[in-house]
Amino acid sequence: MTSPYDIEEIFPDDAPEAVRLPRRQAGNSPQGLAVTLLADYTLRTRAWLPSAAVVALLTEAGVSPAGARTAISRLARRGVLEGRRQGRRSSYRLTPAAAGFLSLGGSAIVSPVEAEPWDEHWTVIAFSVPRDRAAQRRGLRAQLRWMGFAPLYDGLWVSPRDVTEKAREQLVPFGATMTVFRSRHVGPGAGRSPLDAWDTAAIARRYEAFMVTWGPVPPRVHAGEITGPEAVRARTEVMDTYRRLPILDPGLPRRLLPAGWLREPARDLFTAIYDGLATSAQEHVRAVAAACTDDPPPGIGAHTVAELAAGLPVP
């Protein structure tokens, strides 16, 4: 059976949409860092950044200059970035489609999970898609994961939450291939529990690793020890790392989770670092951009976690 945490499936590289964001990898890829960087400081305005500034900022994050230029080129081909040239200088910004996707996705990733009472019923979606419709199958599975479902069996997905009207609309294109119902699990006994669709132990280890890696950082932030390139690098990397966790976390009712679940502590830690470094990082990005052009580019600014969660308006 497919792993419940197949990142390549959640973010397929051959998605049919015009915008193909970079595949998530075990580490921080140059393309992923570039997208995070532009989103962190230009998402609200879709401001232009000199390509030399993007290369310089990625180089400070440990990407080689050649790797940075390749990442920019590939993102432009994917429809994530659009470019313009003024004389010998080129600049890039997020395309409208990419900015809209990142705004919606960013809001979903950083928003807190609301605690709701659970009626002990499971929503079950059974589907069958012919093998010759691989793209449709991947699209449906990706949509179900974004909605908080997981595969109990290959064509049987479950979630403890009811299907909202908005979710029903998102499933309309796949309606002919699926059946949706809500029921109570009658176990224990033979067979799998719906909870087996999630590897909560694996997710818990991801949270623990995040806490261990980033736990020592807030005291340094509060002491003003992280500035300039280090502030941008830390802020970019903490976002690029944290954004995977809410996608893997199914948002299960607390009673179904192991004791000591780190969802809220991890979000609090992420917020402390991301917001705490916003001013220092913003100043450095502006300085690097200004050094690469005759006129300082307008519209460069950091946003907070609360602003991203509320949904940034994208021009």
Side-chain angles (χ1 to χ4, degrees), residues 1-6 9-10 122-129 137-161 163 171 178-183 192 194-195 197-198 247:
M1 187 180 71
T2 302
S3 165
Y5 306 101
D6 188 341
E9 179 185 275
I10 300 174
W122 296 85
T123 299
V124 182
I125 295 183
F127 65 88
S128 178
V129 180
R137 182 182 181 85
R138 282 192 294 269
L140 174 56
R141 294 171 74 101
Q143 183 63 60
L144 290 174
R145 289 193 187 278
W146 274 109
M147 293 166 55
F149 285 80
L152 185 60
Y153 298 101
D154 187 51
L156 190 73
W157 290 51
V158 295
S159 169
R161 305 190 184 282
V163 180
L171 292 174
M178 70 171 62
T179 299
V180 183
F181 55 95
R182 190 161 175 82
S183 62
R192 307 182 74 206
L195 193 58
W198 292 273
I247 297 170

Side-chain angles (χ1 to χ4, degrees), residues 3-135:
S3 165
Y5 306 101
D6 188 341
I7 300 300
E8 293 299 321
E9 179 185 275
I10 300 174
F11 301 99
D13 192 35
D14 57 352
E17 292 82 1
V19 177
R20 294 188 294 124
L21 292 175
R23 289 175 292 179
R24 272 53 172 183
Q25 300 178 1
N28 305 94
S29 72
Q31 289 183 66
L33 288 173
V35 171
T36 301
L37 184 67
L38 269 78
D40 281 346
Y41 304 100
T42 70
L43 184 57
R44 194 197 310 267
T45 60
R46 291 184 56 237
W48 293 95
L49 277 182
S51 59
V54 180
V55 170
L57 291 166
L58 289 175
T59 301
E60 291 176 348
V63 180
S64 69
R69 287 189 287 270
T70 298
I72 294 171
S73 177
R74 289 178 175 172
L75 289 172
R77 288 199 301 270
R78 287 174 177 268
V80 179
L81 302 181
E82 61 185 19
R84 71 177 182 185
R85 180 171 290 277
Q86 294 177 312
R88 299 179 60 184
R89 294 174 176 171
S90 59
S91 299
Y92 288 89
R93 68 177 179 179
L94 295 168
T95 62
F101 183 95
L102 290 166
S103 178
L104 290 173
S107 177
I109 286 171
V110 304
S111 294
V113 175
E114 299 294 337
E116 300 177 358
W118 185 46
D119 62 1
E120 298 187 6
H121 283 68
W122 296 85
T123 299
V124 182
I125 295 183
F127 65 88
S128 178
V129 180
R131 291 187 178 276
D132 59 354
R133 298 181 183 176

Side-chain angles (χ1 to χ4, degrees), residues 157-220:
W157 290 51
V158 295
S159 169
R161 305 190 184 282
D162 204 351
V163 180
T164 64
E165 187 60 36
K166 181 178 179 181
R168 294 178 192 275
E169 294 175 0
Q170 293 171 330
L171 292 174
V172 166
F174 309 99
T177 66
M178 70 171 62
T179 299
V180 183
F181 55 95
R182 190 161 175 82
S183 62
R184 185 190 296 267
H185 181 234
V186 297
R192 307 182 74 206
S193 163
L195 193 58
D196 292 338
W198 292 273
D199 187 347
T200 53
I203 301 172
R205 289 193 294 271
R206 294 285 192 102
Y207 275 128
E208 291 166 2
F210 181 83
M211 299 295 293
V212 169
T213 299
W214 294 97
V217 176
R220 296 188 59 215

